[in-house]
Amino acid sequence: MGFAYGPVTNYIALYAKELGIGGSGWFYALIAAGLILNRVMTGRLIDRGYLIHLVGTGMTLNVIAYFILAFSHSPITFFISAFLIGTSLGLIFPGYQTMCVNLARHDQRGTANSTYLSGWDIGIGTGILIGGSMANYFGMHRQVFFACAIALVIADVLYFTWTSRHYLKNKLEG
């Protein structure tokens, strides 16, 4: 997840310029709006036991958002992808963090949180490095976001075939 988000954090302004779209700052504002809206609406659903379903929904929505971004030709699709990325991350980021904490004993919760956050940071850094190299090689950023969408498809399949099952089998709380 972090790998795909890395290029968004670093290269979206350049991609907007390649597409001839101004106001790329709105992209980040729409990500924030999607995050906030989602967090307000889903907190109680997570508390009621829908964690696995919400994270799965977020994973699939994130794949869709990155495909829209990769094939964007207009400001409308560009900005829709931003809102969808924010909405999906509002489900995924806290959902995965909750899953990590629920897999750890009480005395391991700090380690679970730091491991999760370190993994997120490593993913973002790797995505930035590889995304920059890809953009340099291909001469544009569309291929970078397409590669991110493909990586997210793989992550989505892994979530549904392994991660969610592992979590349900091994969770200590939740």
Side-chain angles (χ1 to χ4, degrees), residues 11 25-26 28 32 37 51 57 87 123-124 126 129 139 142-143 149:
Y11 304 121
W26 283 103
Y28 297 109
L37 179 67
L51 176 64
T57 300
T87 302
I124 289 173
T126 304
L129 289 172
R142 181 175 310 275
Q143 289 84 354

Side-chain angles (χ1 to χ4, degrees), residues 44 71 148:
R44 289 192 177 137
F71 293 107
C148 290

